[in-house]
Amino acid sequence: MLKVGLTGGIGSGKSEVSRRLGALGAVVIDADKIAREVVEPGTGGLAEIVETFGSGVLRPDGTLDREKLGRVVFSDSGQLARLNAIVHPRVGERVAELQRQAPEDAIVVYDVPLLAENGLAPMYDVVIVVDAPDDVRLSRLTTRRGMSEDDALARIKAQATREDRLKVADIVIPNDGSLDDLDARAREVWQDLMARRGGR
Ligand code: ADP
C-alpha cells in the first residue's frame, strides 16, 4: 500500500484532483466526507451529539444543523473538545476500516485539507500539493462556488500560505490552466505513483 496525502488550499482544485485519481484507480479516503457520514441521522454519532448539545442542534428533518452547532462550539473550547471527542474517534475507526478493506497493493489517497497546517506530512509516503495562485483560487470560489469575495479571502487567509504548503510537497500539481491540462497532469502523477509503489 502506498499512502498518499493530497492537500491544497481552498479553491486550488484538490477535489478535482482527488476525483481524477479515484477514476484512475486510487482508493480515495475523504476525511471531511467521513466526518459528515458519522453524524448522519440514525448514527450513534448523531445520537451522542444530541445527548451532549441538545436537540436544538437538529433541523426539523432530523439532520444535524452544522451552522448552529458551529456557533455553539466556535467560541467555547470545552464544547469544541466535546464535539471532537464524539466525531474524531468515529472518523478514525472508519478510516481504519477503509484501509483494512483496501487491496494490499492499493494506492490510497487521503484527501486532507489541512495537512500542512496540522503538520501531518510524516503520516504519508508521498505528499501531493495542488497549487494555484491566490487570485485564481479567489475567482473560482466567487464564480464557481458562489462565495462572497470577503468570505473567500478570509478562508484563504485562515489557511497556510502557498509557500508553507509547497514546503511539504513531494509532488506539486499546478492547477492554473484548464481542466484538460489537469486531466493530463493527473495521469502523469498516477504513473509516478504507480512507479513509486512498484519500487517499494
Ligand atoms: P478545492 O477542493 O481545492 O477547494 P475544487 O476542486 O472544489 O477545489 O475546485 C474549486 C472550483 O474550481 C470547482 O468548482 C472546480 O470545478 C473549479 N476548478 C478547479 N480547477 C479548475 C480548472 N483547472 N479550470 C476550471 N475550473 C476549475
Side-chain angles (χ1 to χ4, degrees), residues 53 68-81 83:
F53 299 98
K68 223 177 209 175
L69 181 60
R71 285 196 291 276
V72 173
V73 301
F74 178 66
S75 52
D76 185 333
S77 58
Q79 295 284 56
L80 180 62
L83 176 61

Side-chain angles (χ1 to χ4, degrees), residues 20-100:
R20 282 164 176 73
L21 294 177
L24 288 163
V27 173
V28 176
I29 297 186
D30 179 338
D32 278 356
K33 187 170 144 227
I34 295 171
R36 290 191 295 275
E37 286 169 0
V38 299
V39 296
E40 273 170 5
T43 59
L46 188 58
E48 216 176 302
I49 285 180
V50 171
E51 241 169 66
T52 309
F53 299 98
S55 53
V57 298
L58 292 180
R59 293 209 181 83
D61 66 359
T63 59
L64 184 60
D65 188 332
R66 290 172 182 286
E67 287 69 40
K68 223 177 209 175
L69 181 60
R71 285 196 291 276
V72 173
V73 301
F74 178 66
S75 52
D76 185 333
S77 58
Q79 295 284 56
L80 180 62
R82 260 170 236 125
L83 176 61
N84 285 340
I86 297 170
V87 175
H88 286 177
R90 289 182 162 84
V91 172
E93 270 167 35
R94 180 72 184 134
V95 168
E97 188 184 352
L98 290 170
Q99 234 163 250
R100 277 196 304 275

